[in-house]
Amino acid sequence: MIHVRVSMSLASKTAIDRHTHLIAWAQYRQRIRAFFEARDVLEVVTPHQTSYTGTDVHLTPFQGISVSGQQWFLHTSPEFEMKKLLAQGSGDIFQICQVFRDEEQGQWHHPEFTLLEWYRQGWTLDALMEEVALLCAKVFKLNQPVTRLSVHAACERYAGWSPWAVDALKIAQSRWPHADCGEDQALWFDWVMVTQVEPKLADLPMCCLYDYPETHAALAKVISFEGRRIARRFEYYVQGIEVANGFDELGDAVEQRHRFEQEQAMRRVKQQPVWPIDTTFLDALDKMPECCGVALGLDRLYVLAQNNL
């Protein structure tokens, strides 16, 4: 997926409105902390400024050079540092923090936004999907039924196309000749999701899509299922807007290095900056317990919840 995020401005037309939003925003954060405390999940804080950044071609970090000449980045996600804590025996953890992505601005985009990220050891992806739904209901009072669809089913239902079809590329090129995706099947999947599938999800109050193509595994495990290679991950939507992204976390450092190197190669092709791989993160992966994790955009969910009241 092409990832988009939002940052909500607490400023509004009147002092009363501003004060109301400030109180509501504080209450949401308090309820989140109470939710995780009741479920024995430890709150942690990791550095916002790091010496490494990720290799994802869709993410651009803010960066600079320190007085000593060392390169630094503002984190686009706390994922790497939180997984290092998991590898050191932290147990289940969560974090509420600001993250920074140097990308376009719009209604649902902002270069700085608030992320809630948490990890559950020994959990299945299904259990984590249930916990996201429970958090939305208990904290944000979004109690509508959640529709669960595999990506395969969603693509066939809303686009009449499957990224796993043997001739998926030919079908896409024939059906949507105006789309400028060339021979890149991963790009075709992104285009179909954004233009054909996601607009239909607005008709569902809440929806969870799971099991993505292998090309979109990122840091998730990949398995074979019904003849398809699938990435064990999900994305959670409220009123057609993506609010959360969860993984059955990959714990194989060799495989993860290979994926990072592939992303570095793609960045070179796209003439994007190529940064070194965080080898301390790879060292931690082999020690990390089996777990599932999810990142949830709080600003975006706050706006959707307020509109739902």
Side-chain angles (χ1 to χ4, degrees):
M1 287 297 299
I2 298 172
H3 296 288
V4 292
R5 307 291 180 189
V6 68
S7 181
M8 177 213 51
S9 169
L10 292 177
S12 33
K13 293 181 180 178
T14 68
I16 293 175
D17 287 339
R18 286 195 295 273
H19 190 245
T20 299
H21 278 301
L22 286 169
I23 292 173
W25 181 243
Q27 289 173 340
Y28 278 122
R29 293 168 71 101
Q30 289 168 358
R31 290 203 294 266
I32 289 167
R33 289 188 165 97
F35 176 88
F36 284 113
E37 182 179 358
R39 298 168 76 82
D40 295 322
V41 184
L42 178 69
E43 183 172 11
V44 298
V45 177
T46 57
H48 287 37
Q49 181 177 313
T50 62
S51 301
Y52 290 95
T53 190
T55 54
D56 191 325
V57 296
H58 299 302
L59 295 181
T60 304
F62 288 94
Q63 60 182 310
I65 303 294
S66 68
V67 175
S68 63
Q70 182 179 6
Q71 189 173 36
W72 57 262
F73 304 89
L74 293 179
H75 69 171
T76 58
S77 162
E79 180 170 4
F80 286 12
E81 298 304 317
M82 291 182 77
K83 285 180 174 177
K84 292 174 188 177
L85 292 181
L86 289 166
Q88 294 167 18
S90 66
D92 293 347
I93 53 177
F94 81 97
Q95 180 168 187
I96 301 172
C97 63
Q98 299 305 111
V99 295
F100 308 87
R101 299 179 183 182
D102 191 3
E103 49 194 29
E104 74 276 11
Q105 296 191 45
Q107 181 184 7
W108 299 107
H109 303 68
H110 199 276
E112 178 184 352
F113 59 96
T114 311
L115 198 68
L116 165 64
E117 189 153 331
W118 75 96
Y119 292 87
R120 290 298 214 155
Q121 295 184 182
W123 277 39
T124 65
L125 206 61
D126 284 346
L128 190 59
M129 291 183 215
E130 291 288 348
E131 189 165 57
V132 173
L134 186 62
L135 179 125
C136 286
K138 285 198 167 185
V139 173
F140 291 90
K141 311 304 179 188
L142 295 168
N143 295 299
Q144 299 94 331
V146 180
T147 301
R148 279 200 201 178
L149 283 172
S150 69
V151 168
H152 175 68
C155 284
E156 289 200 323
R157 177 183 297 185
Y158 298 122
W161 176 84
S162 171
W164 287 276
V166 175
D167 51 357
L169 187 58
K170 261 186 204 178
I171 293 172
Q173 290 171 329
S174 173
R175 184 169 297 173
W176 302 289
H178 58 286
D180 185 21
C181 299
E183 300 292 318
D184 188 334
Q185 190 156 323
L187 190 58
W188 272 110
F189 173 72
D190 288 338
W191 186 89
V192 170
M193 288 296 294
V194 170
T195 65
Q196 309 298 309
V197 176
E198 288 184 345
K200 308 287 181 24
L201 301 183
D203 296 331
L204 303 173
M206 304 181 78
C207 178
C208 186
L209 299 186
Y210 63 90
D211 288 352
Y212 280 71
E214 185 174 10
T215 54
H216 289 63
L219 288 91
K221 290 178 181 175
V222 173
I223 64 170
S224 295
F225 178 73
E226 295 183 350
R228 300 189 296 272
R229 293 284 289 167
I230 59 172
R232 290 292 290 153
R233 56 176 293 190
F234 67 84
E235 293 193 2
Y236 203 91
Y237 293 80
V238 175
Q239 299 165 26
I241 304 299
E242 182 218 334
V243 297
N245 185 13
F247 292 163
D248 188 348
E249 303 292 349
L250 178 68
D252 183 335
V254 173
E255 169 61 21
Q256 191 63 69
R257 177 184 284 277
H258 175 64
R259 294 184 193 177
F260 286 160
E261 289 170 348
Q262 286 182 316
E263 288 177 334
Q264 285 180 321
M266 284 192 288
R267 293 188 72 89
R268 290 187 185 96
V269 169
K270 293 176 179 288
Q271 298 184 324
Q272 296 175 335
V274 179
W275 296 291
I277 291 170
D278 184 350
T279 55
T280 61
F281 169 69
L282 293 178
D283 290 342
L285 270 191
D286 284 331
K287 304 179 187 71
M288 188 179 73
E290 291 283 324
C291 64
C292 291
V294 59
L296 185 149
L298 283 186
D299 310 275
R300 178 174 291 188
L301 192 55
Y302 170 87
V303 171
L304 292 167
Q306 291 294 101
N307 291 342
N308 193 59
L309 296 177

